[in-house]
Amino acid sequence: MEKKNKQRNRNISLSTKAEVLFENILFLGISICGLIASLTAKWGGGARVMHAGIFPRLLFLITGFGSIAMFFSNVKYDAPPSDRDIPPLFTVAFLSWVGVYVYCALHVGFVVSTLLFLLITISVFSENPKHHWKEILTATALCTAIIWGIFIKVIGIALPKTPLF
């Protein structure tokens, strides 16, 4: 097994190794800077946003540990599966869809926007949404309730006041 890993690492170009090293250093740097910024930030908003600092710190810690783990990983040079190539146009369309969701969550309402976002997104990625519509509706409602509960009850982040929730 070790011989196979050593052989695989020999066939990797220097540019690929440099790219992977750059990504690891970039993510580690982002997590360190973000963690320092979140530790030194003064969170406004009074008692309703008291625990808002926990969420970004947790994300920065996960990113930092992930980049360190990737640095020592044996599979860091493996190419992604070729059968899952995603066209760039689809990526741009999905990121635009996420932008529409964020705008609607801030101006229309978090609960309604999240319900519609998850319903449409799960339906698009589902193989046969007409056949599994009950499961899709259930998953959408449960995910929205869980996300709302985490933001409001666990983290204590106040969502913007909007016409629909």
Side-chain angles (χ1 to χ4, degrees):
M1 182 73 170
E2 289 181 36
K3 289 181 182 179
K4 189 183 255 187
N5 285 338
K6 287 181 182 177
Q7 265 184 339
R8 182 175 46 187
N9 287 341
R10 285 187 205 153
N11 298 332
I12 299 166
S13 69
L14 184 62
S15 65
T16 303
K17 288 182 179 181
E19 183 181 343
V20 170
L21 181 64
F22 175 74
E23 289 173 354
N24 285 334
I25 291 172
L26 177 68
F27 280 106
L28 186 60
I30 289 171
S31 64
I32 290 171
C33 291
L35 191 59
I36 290 170
S38 68
L39 290 171
T40 59
K42 294 182 181 179
W43 301 100
R48 291 192 56 115
V49 193
M50 182 175 62
H51 302 291
I54 294 170
F55 184 67
R57 289 177 193 152
L58 184 62
L59 288 179
F60 290 128
L61 283 173
I62 291 170
T63 304
F65 287 132
S67 64
I68 291 169
M70 203 56 195
F71 183 76
F72 293 108
S73 173
N74 288 333
V75 296
K76 63 184 168 191
Y77 301 117
D78 288 353
S82 61
D83 62 340
R84 295 193 180 250
D85 286 337
I86 299 173
L89 184 61
F90 180 80
T91 304
V92 170
F94 186 73
L95 290 175
S96 300
W97 173 234
V98 171
V100 168
Y101 161 69
V102 170
Y103 179 81
C104 289
L106 293 174
H107 294 86
V108 175
F110 177 79
V111 174
V112 173
S113 299
T114 304
L115 280 169
L116 289 174
F117 175 77
L118 289 176
L119 182 67
I120 293 170
T121 303
I122 292 171
S123 297
V124 166
F125 286 110
S126 178
E127 286 184 20
N128 192 357
K130 290 181 183 178
H131 182 69
H132 299 289
W133 66 272
K134 289 179 185 176
E135 291 89 352
I136 291 172
L137 287 176
T138 304
T140 300
L142 282 174
C143 287
T144 302
I146 290 169
I147 292 168
W148 180 84
I150 288 172
F151 272 90
I152 298 294
K153 300 297 180 187
V154 176
I155 302 174
I157 296 176
L159 297 172
K161 300 288 184 202
T162 56
L164 300 172
F165 297 99

